[in-house]
Amino acid sequence: MELIFSFENTVPWIILLPLLGALINGIVGRKSSRKVVENIAVGAMALAFFLALFSFGYIWILDGVVIDASVLKEGGVQKVSDAFQITFQSPIKGILGIQSALWQPIEGIRIIIEGGAIQLSPSLDGGILQQGALITSHIYEWFSLKFYEFQVPVFIRFTMDALSALMTLVVSGIGLLIHIYSKGYMSEEKSYARFFTYLNLFSASMLILVLASNLPLMFVGWEGVGLCSYLLIGFWWENPTYAAAGKKAFIANRIGDFGVLIGMFLLVSTLHTFEFSEISRLASLANDAGGQALSAVDSKRIATLISSFQLGPLALGSVATLACLFLFLGCSGKSAQIPLYVWLPDAMAGPTPVSALIHAATMVTSGIYLCCRLSNLFLLSDTAMMTIAIVGSLTALLAASVALVQNEMKKVLAYSTVSQLGFMFAAVGVGAFASGFFHVFTHAFFKACLFLGAGSVMHAVGAHGDADMRKLGGLRSILPKTHWTFLVSCLAIAGVPLTSGFFSKDEILLGATRLASTSQSHAWVGWFVFVVLVLAATMTAFYMLRLYFRTFSGSYRSAQATSSETDQQETSHEDHDHGYAAHPHESPWTMTVPLAILGVGAVIVGYLNLEPLHIHFNAWGDWLKPVVRDVQGGATWAPLVAMVGGFSAMAIGIGTAWVLYKGKEKDILPDLIPARLHALMMNKWKVDELYSAVLLKPVRALAGLSATFDRIIVDGVLTKLSSTIVKLASYGVTRLQTGQFTAYGLVLLLGVFFVTGWFVYPHPVIEKTEIKGANVRFVAAQGMGYQYRWDFEGDGEYDTPWGTANTALHRYSGKKFDHIALIAGPKNEKVALHMSKPEALPVSPQHARIVSPGVFAVLKDDGVLIRPNGYAIRLNGRMIKKEEVLVRPGSKGFVAGYPFKVVAIVSPKLTVKNVFGNLNHETVELEVMPSGDRRSPARKTKARISRVDLSRESIQVGHQHK
Amino acid sequence: MEIQIGHYLALAALLFGIGVAGFFLRRNILIQLMSIELMLNAANLVFISFNRWMPENHLGQTYSFFVIAIAAAEAAVGLAIVISFFRLNKHVDSEKASLLKN
């Protein structure tokens, strides 16, 4: 970094400072003193405002600068030494510009030129005219999406251009004033740090919303302000009504946010970008089709944008129309338009500074801000514009009619805010974006001033929640400062000439008449908007002056005993029963100074646009021209009609209020209009009741139904039933659980006895028997303290004494075998060992086995007597056909071509004794080749195996425990 | 008479038996804890005797240390439980300690 200071780095700090303030106050605020808390909060806002002002000035100086084109090299201007000619628009800008150039001129200009988002057009003398300067501050890439071949990155990137610079000034400037005001207003509050934390967090969120360069980042701020609004409306959450108001606001906003998301997705899926500048560029190209050469990608995107959106067989209008309508749904949630406006009047439950900052000056205008930001897009869709215009004007009328009869100061102001927001949307709808935003700007001043004035009154008389006008009056002499600022703001909102409200409201009406005079197909929209807005403006003038007279003129009604008037009308607030403080006092300077500043602003900010006075000076429109599209032209009668309409509305409204309320103690409005109509207006046209009947009741019914389902099916059948089954099934086992640990110990002890017994009792296991002819080697399993004893023949006589060796070797000889088997099978087949068929044998099946059907074998003392029965028997090389032959053990031969052999089956028995003298034994059954003859058994076995295959299979040990 | 391993083992078995009997026959949790200690010490005695009988690798002594450590931990936890049990119920009767029944 060669430069310590750069405007690129300034913009993020505008957001970071309040965020840091919120962080510090949120973490350590509870333990800090009030002084520290308020200094951190107000200091952060003051610094942010200072930086915003600074950045604004920078943009202002560079706006409209003419740069000598000859110095623009390929990569832009490189260094300060590349001195180049800058021509400033006005002398004052020149002076300031030189100073700024001394400071750091190049960085900013380079950014602007390389940014590419601004329009550079050749000026007269071959230079480049800089229109719409901006500061772009790129932080990092947040995440990235992929749409087919398009990579759509989402940046944490802040852009301060003409539009967002103005909004930043409003947010940080009025935010600062309201922070200062809060120091006085909230001085009695217990949760002081919490309040300032929320307020700072709100400012940061709002600044993110305003400064974001793309939709997702804007949505972060959008949700952030929604959250802070919820937190601040329910700031006094101990009161359930206030908490409910917070929830209502949050839910209404959520419905709108859903629309914003859908609109955002529609845009990104067609345009493959989230950046406002890119959306604006493409939309403006789509507006002025022809003339310019489009790249293939751009023309395809634009074609998709204006193509019809198909949902199955349904054609839902163009993609742009749908996107705009969904975005407008979001705007109607945040900016309190029909049908989602119902939350804003209830939002007055929050502290009054909050009402002024969030619910009058800044957050609720973010819908209009979004529309202006995407003005090019909205202009693509006549349907969307028409919808916005009609919804906006109807909202203005509806809210104004409710405000006419209300008795609480903040309630009147709340409906007035809804009404004024309707004016702004009507302006947007007729295409007068800059005028709508102008009203945002002026409204921010006078409405904030009005709210703070109401707060000052409430502070003075000790009213909580809201101030009932029936118990006020005559405060002019008691609260002079509050009175004067309140009066000025009332006149401004009423549209008295030469106040800011006059200019901005006239501009909106002018927009309507312009549309009426220029458009053929939508002229009726222009007239409709004009008529409805004039009506609404008349009401506005009337109810504002009514509010003023009822509060400040006449005598202070709470000084007397409870008036009879309060008893007549039904009340919704608890504190209506008793009057307010008998001796009100003027508020401290922290409250009156912001009031004064805002009051001055309420008058002078209108002079940015003198068109309504038929003076050709429109600094506002010129300033916003590079960013915001505005409809121009119109017939010559249009301004005149607008002027007459606006002026007469103001005059009639104020005149009526003057006649009816000047110096009067009693509200005579209920006597003038029919009682039923008055009751309806008093109850806000019963819209809340309608929503309750149409939306809440069915949802509640559904909730009740599913709750019943949950109770009976889920809790009852599924849970209770299954748990009961398990309980019943486990009844016996649960009895075992006595809860007495000695019982468990007893079971443990029994277990110990059992395991010990198991290990102590001898377990004779003959693990391995290696048979080699008549020689068998036995291996028994070892055990601690075991002694072994063998009975190899299984005849009951032990062949060995007790010994500790677990192996034994025995050679089977002689004729002491259990039984002898004849085993035979085909030569080439695998297994030829058949268990004997009992019917084929004359002897007991346990004592002989034979294969070869038809051959009979009889067990004799010294061998098996075979009767060939017609089969050819070959034994030891001799053919036997008829006579019986005695086959001795070990003999081999063939029966009808099948080889056979004779083996002995023995059952050796192992007896094991442990140290305690317990005995146990195991018997296995073995087939061994008895050594009946004199020849060496090993050699003989070997020879036999090599000659007869099947013998290997037959020498198997079958363990049979007996 | 020469003292042999069998005598040691008999003593250990006696101690262990006393411990088991104490644990099962008494109803005072403190006494029962002491009986457990007795059983652990009987086990220790067995380890030590076998170590004497087979002294090459000191396995018995090593294990007896383990047993002592475990006994200490057991005493700490057990006494803590007994104390909180007493604070709750104002008695230390294990027969009445059946909160987890069924």
Side-chain angles (χ1 to χ4, degrees):
Chain A
M1 275 291 283
E2 35 188 311
L3 288 159
I4 300 159
F5 181 86
S6 153
F7 280 97
E8 239 178 292
N9 302 331
T10 311
V11 173
W13 279 106
I14 300 176
I15 297 164
L16 278 176
L17 282 167
L19 199 60
L20 278 177
L23 214 61
I24 295 169
N25 274 343
I27 293 168
V28 297
R30 267 170 65 171
K31 299 202 172 73
S32 317
S33 70
R34 283 166 180 253
K35 207 95 199 147
V36 173
V37 168
E38 66 191 27
N39 282 345
I40 288 173
V42 175
M45 277 315 285
L47 271 175
F49 177 60
F50 173 71
L51 290 179
L53 208 60
F54 207 55
S55 311
F56 178 83
Y58 184 72
I59 293 175
W60 180 67
I61 287 164
L62 285 177
D63 186 52
V65 154
V66 179
I67 303 165
D68 186 356
S70 61
V71 299
L72 289 177
K73 295 175 190 149
E74 257 174 49
V77 181
Q78 300 296 323
K79 293 200 295 291
V80 190
S81 54
D82 296 352
F84 56 90
Q85 201 69 43
I86 300 177
T87 316
F88 291 100
Q89 256 187 344
S90 59
I92 181 161
K93 275 192 181 182
I95 295 162
L96 289 169
I98 290 159
Q99 279 176 358
S100 124
L102 289 174
W103 206 343
Q104 67 101 2
I106 298 311
E107 193 71 7
I109 292 171
R110 189 176 57 77
I111 296 161
I112 294 155
I113 292 164
E114 285 183 353
I118 40 86
Q119 299 155 3
L120 293 171
S121 60
S123 76
L124 297 174
D125 49 356
I128 284 184
L129 179 63
Q130 174 72 49
Q131 278 189 343
L134 50 83
I135 303 170
T136 296
S137 171
H138 180 94
I139 316 281
Y140 65 94
E141 185 184 315
W142 185 9
F143 60 89
S144 172
L145 298 179
K146 205 163 157 55
F147 278 96
Y148 305 106
E149 71 271 25
F150 296 100
Q151 196 76 29
V152 184
V154 178
F155 301 110
I156 302 289
R157 176 195 273 171
F158 301 105
T159 304
M160 192 188 246
D161 60 5
L163 183 64
S164 50
L166 277 177
M167 199 69 180
T168 308
L169 273 188
V170 171
V171 172
S172 57
I174 294 187
L176 172 63
L177 290 180
I178 286 167
H179 272 73
I180 295 169
Y181 178 91
S182 302
K183 277 169 44 174
Y185 187 81
M186 302 296 279
S187 53
E188 312 284 314
E189 177 58 41
K190 283 196 293 286
S191 310
Y192 199 60
R194 185 161 64 94
F195 180 76
F196 276 106
T197 304
Y198 291 165
L199 220 51
N200 264 356
L201 188 63
F202 167 78
S203 306
S205 305
M206 190 67 206
L207 288 166
I208 291 175
L209 192 162
V210 167
L211 287 171
S213 84
N214 52 48
L215 273 164
L217 188 58
M218 185 221 72
F219 196 67
V220 172
W222 188 274
E223 291 294 304
V225 292
L227 169 72
C228 294
S229 161
Y230 161 77
L231 291 173
L232 283 164
I233 293 169
F235 185 74
W236 290 311
W237 49 267
E238 293 92 340
N239 184 334
T241 326
Y242 294 180
K247 276 188 273 182
K248 188 175 179 183
F250 200 74
I251 290 167
N253 270 304
R254 287 304 311 163
I255 298 169
D257 297 344
F258 169 73
V260 175
L261 280 176
I262 303 269
M264 200 153 95
F265 296 153
L266 273 173
L267 284 180
V268 78
S269 58
T270 45
L271 300 179
H272 308 121
T273 179
F274 279 125
E275 294 292 315
F276 285 128
S277 56
E278 192 68 4
I279 294 171
S280 258
R281 184 179 68 83
L282 291 168
S284 77
L285 284 177
N287 265 324
D288 324 317
Q292 294 177 59
L294 296 176
S295 73
V297 177
D298 279 356
S299 58
K300 198 176 158 199
R301 285 174 183 176
I302 291 167
T304 336
L305 185 64
I306 54 177
S307 72
S308 172
F309 187 88
Q310 293 283 335
L311 191 75
L314 246 64
L316 296 174
S318 76
V319 176
T321 302
L322 274 184
C324 288
L325 284 176
F326 274 116
L327 286 175
F328 177 64
L329 177 66
C331 296
S332 71
K334 192 113 296 183
S335 297
Q337 296 298 295
I338 294 172
L340 296 175
Y341 75 95
V342 287
W343 66 269
L344 187 55
D346 289 12
M348 298 306 141
T352 306
V354 170
S355 308
L357 177 63
I358 303 183
H359 305 121
T362 54
M363 185 189 88
V364 289
T365 59
S366 49
I368 295 107
Y369 171 79
L370 181 63
C371 290
C372 292
R373 175 61 66 212
L374 294 172
S375 52
N376 282 318
L377 182 73
F378 277 89
L379 281 174
L380 277 181
S381 166
D382 282 345
T383 319
M385 292 292 277
M386 203 170 76
T387 312
I388 295 172
I390 290 171
V391 167
S393 47
L394 284 180
T395 308
L397 186 66
L398 179 88
S401 70
V402 175
L404 283 179
V405 297
Q406 299 301 316
N407 280 321
E408 287 88 22
M409 287 185 82
K410 280 178 76 179
K411 198 134 255 176
V412 173
L413 291 177
Y415 276 102
S416 162
T417 305
V418 177
S419 174
Q420 296 302 307
L421 291 167
F423 273 83
M424 298 170 203
F425 271 109
V428 165
V430 296
F433 288 95
S435 309
F437 196 63
F438 191 38
H439 200 56
V440 168
F441 191 64
T442 56
H443 176 257
F445 283 92
F446 54 69
K447 187 51 69 64
C449 184
L450 285 169
F451 265 113
L452 296 188
S456 179
V457 168
M458 287 159 63
H459 188 77
V461 303
H464 258 288
D466 213 335
D468 194 331
M469 287 189 280
R470 285 167 296 187
K471 289 186 273 180
L472 298 172
L475 294 176
R476 183 167 60 184
S477 50
I478 307 169
L479 308 171
K481 292 171 193 160
T482 309
H483 161 255
W484 278 113
T485 53
F486 201 85
L487 176 61
V488 164
S489 302
C490 269
L491 295 179
I493 193 174
V496 170
L498 303 184
T499 60
S500 61
F502 164 75
F503 294 102
S504 58
K505 205 174 280 183
D506 201 82
E507 276 290 279
I508 292 173
L509 295 175
L510 177 61
T513 51
R514 266 180 179 156
L515 182 71
S517 68
T518 51
S519 168
Q520 262 97 57
S521 53
H522 291 90
W524 68 272
V525 176
W527 283 120
F528 177 82
V529 169
F530 177 74
V531 171
V532 170
L533 287 192
V534 166
L535 215 54
T538 315
M539 291 181 181
T540 307
F542 175 77
Y543 68 68
M544 285 318 297
L545 267 294
R546 172 178 176 265
L547 174 63
Y548 166 74
F549 285 130
R550 296 278 289 149
T551 308
F552 289 98
S553 78
S555 60
Y556 184 48
R557 289 181 278 274
S558 278
Q560 311 145 9
T562 315
S563 67
S564 56
E565 191 188 344
T566 42
D567 302 329
Q568 287 171 5
Q569 290 172 5
E570 54 108 31
T571 52
S572 56
H573 287 258
E574 307 90 339
D575 57 1
H576 279 185
D577 308 326
H578 48 82
Y580 296 132
H583 301 288
H585 53 91
E586 178 64 290
S587 303
W589 69 266
T590 48
M591 290 164 73
T592 51
V593 166
L595 277 176
I597 296 173
L598 288 171
V600 170
V603 177
I604 61 164
V605 291
Y607 295 99
L608 291 170
N609 181 0
L610 297 179
E611 298 273 331
L613 295 177
H614 298 276
I615 300 168
H616 191 69
F617 173 78
N618 189 353
W620 183 267
D622 292 343
W623 170 256
L624 285 178
K625 199 176 282 168
V627 189
V628 176
R629 202 56 101 89
D630 212 5
V631 175
Q632 298 293 329
T636 44
W637 52 263
L640 202 67
V641 171
M643 179 88 171
V644 169
F647 189 81
S648 51
M650 180 274 297
I652 293 170
I654 292 183
T656 319
W658 185 285
V659 171
L660 291 181
Y661 289 106
K662 175 82 171 88
K664 304 278 199 313
E665 297 295 332
K666 195 172 179 304
D667 187 5
I668 54 169
L669 202 60
D671 306 332
L672 287 180
I673 49 180
R676 288 181 65 177
L677 182 66
H678 183 263
L680 209 57
M681 282 156 82
M682 204 63 201
N683 289 322
K684 307 129 198 173
W685 298 109
K686 298 206 179 233
V687 172
D688 279 338
E689 285 77 4
L690 180 75
Y691 282 5
S692 164
V694 176
L695 296 172
L696 292 186
K697 287 256 171 66
V699 171
R700 286 239 170 85
L702 191 67
L705 198 69
S706 45
T708 314
F709 179 83
D710 187 58
R711 210 159 37 237
I712 294 175
I713 304 295
V714 177
D715 286 356
V717 176
L718 295 179
T719 311
K720 263 286 179 24
L721 192 65
S722 54
S723 76
T724 311
I725 289 170
V726 171
K727 208 170 183 175
L728 287 177
S730 61
Y731 180 80
V733 192
T734 52
R735 294 308 101 182
L736 290 178
Q737 194 179 8
T738 58
Q740 306 250 327
F741 63 85
T742 42
Y744 307 151
L746 196 63
V747 174
L748 183 74
L749 195 67
L750 289 175
V752 167
F753 282 148
F754 179 77
V755 172
T756 316
W758 174 263
F759 279 111
V760 164
Y761 199 71
H763 300 285
V765 178
I766 300 173
E767 278 182 337
K768 208 154 72 174
T769 49
E770 288 168 13
I771 305 167
K772 283 182 178 160
N775 290 348
V776 182
R777 185 169 168 272
F778 297 93
V779 180
Q782 281 182 301
M784 210 154 73
Y786 279 6
Q787 283 185 300
Y788 306 90
R789 199 174 193 192
W790 295 89
D791 171 13
F792 294 116
E793 265 96 26
D795 55 0
E797 290 173 24
Y798 287 111
D799 300 322
T800 63
W802 288 108
T804 51
N806 66 323
T807 58
L809 191 70
H810 185 71
R811 177 185 168 83
Y812 286 93
S813 58
K815 298 182 182 78
K816 282 168 75 183
F817 303 131
D818 276 1
H819 49 267
I820 292 175
L822 184 69
I823 298 168
K827 199 185 278 179
N828 295 322
E829 280 175 27
K830 256 188 175 174
V831 180
L833 177 68
H834 293 272
M835 291 302 286
S836 61
K837 291 178 185 162
E839 69 273 16
L841 289 169
V843 290
S844 158
Q846 287 114 6
H847 288 91
R849 295 176 189 175
I850 191 158
V851 214
S852 294
V855 180
F856 289 84
V858 181
L859 183 70
K860 297 285 178 190
D861 277 352
D862 49 352
V864 181
L865 188 69
I866 291 181
R867 218 182 307 151
N869 229 6
Y871 290 92
I873 289 186
R874 210 176 140 85
L875 187 68
N876 296 339
R878 194 165 64 90
M879 285 296 286
I880 297 151
K881 278 194 177 158
K882 287 215 171 98
E883 73 273 37
E884 294 176 344
V885 64
L886 187 72
V887 183
R888 290 172 192 284
S891 304
K892 54 195 184 298
F894 296 90
V895 178
Y898 298 110
F900 74 87
K901 61 175 173 135
V902 174
V903 295
I905 292 181
V906 292
S907 304
K909 185 166 117 185
L910 166 68
T911 307
V912 175
K913 182 172 80 171
N914 68 1
V915 282
F916 300 104
N918 301 107
L919 292 176
N920 203 356
H921 52 77
E922 189 198 35
T923 308
V924 295
E925 194 169 89
L926 302 178
E927 284 172 6
V928 296
M929 185 69 74
S931 55
D933 51 358
R934 293 160 300 276
R935 273 170 286 182
S936 154
R939 244 178 60 208
K940 195 179 164 190
T941 313
K942 221 173 193 174
R944 184 183 56 80
I945 290 170
S946 65
R947 275 177 57 197
V948 189
D949 257 5
L950 65 99
S951 59
R952 197 180 288 157
E953 292 290 335
S954 63
I955 303 174
Q956 279 183 340
V957 181
H959 285 254
Q960 280 181 341
H961 295 266
K962 283 183 179 166
Chain B
M1 187 181 72
E2 198 186 337
I3 307 284
Q4 288 200 334
I5 186 167
H7 299 97
Y8 287 110
L9 292 182
L11 178 62
L14 189 65
L15 280 175
F16 193 84
I18 293 170
V20 168
F23 183 80
F24 284 107
L25 299 180
R26 297 299 295 264
R27 287 289 174 263
N28 188 322
I29 300 180
L30 273 172
I31 304 284
Q32 284 175 311
L33 265 180
M34 287 153 71
S35 304
I36 292 172
E37 294 295 322
L38 213 54
M39 286 189 267
L40 284 166
N41 282 330
N44 256 347
L45 193 57
V46 172
F47 276 123
I48 295 297
S49 328
F50 277 116
N51 189 70
R52 171 89 178 186
W53 183 47
M54 200 201 246
E56 293 85 23
N57 48 11
H58 303 291
L59 212 60
Q61 284 190 22
T62 318
Y63 271 99
S64 70
F65 277 120
F66 277 113
V67 173
I68 289 168
I70 287 166
E74 178 259 332
V77 175
L79 281 175
I81 292 171
V82 171
I83 287 167
S84 50
F85 181 81
F86 180 76
R87 279 187 185 154
L88 273 177
N89 300 305
K90 303 291 168 210
H91 65 78
V92 285
D93 190 347
S94 67
E95 203 160 357
K96 289 179 190 157
S98 59
L99 212 63
L100 292 175
K101 190 175 177 181
N102 296 332

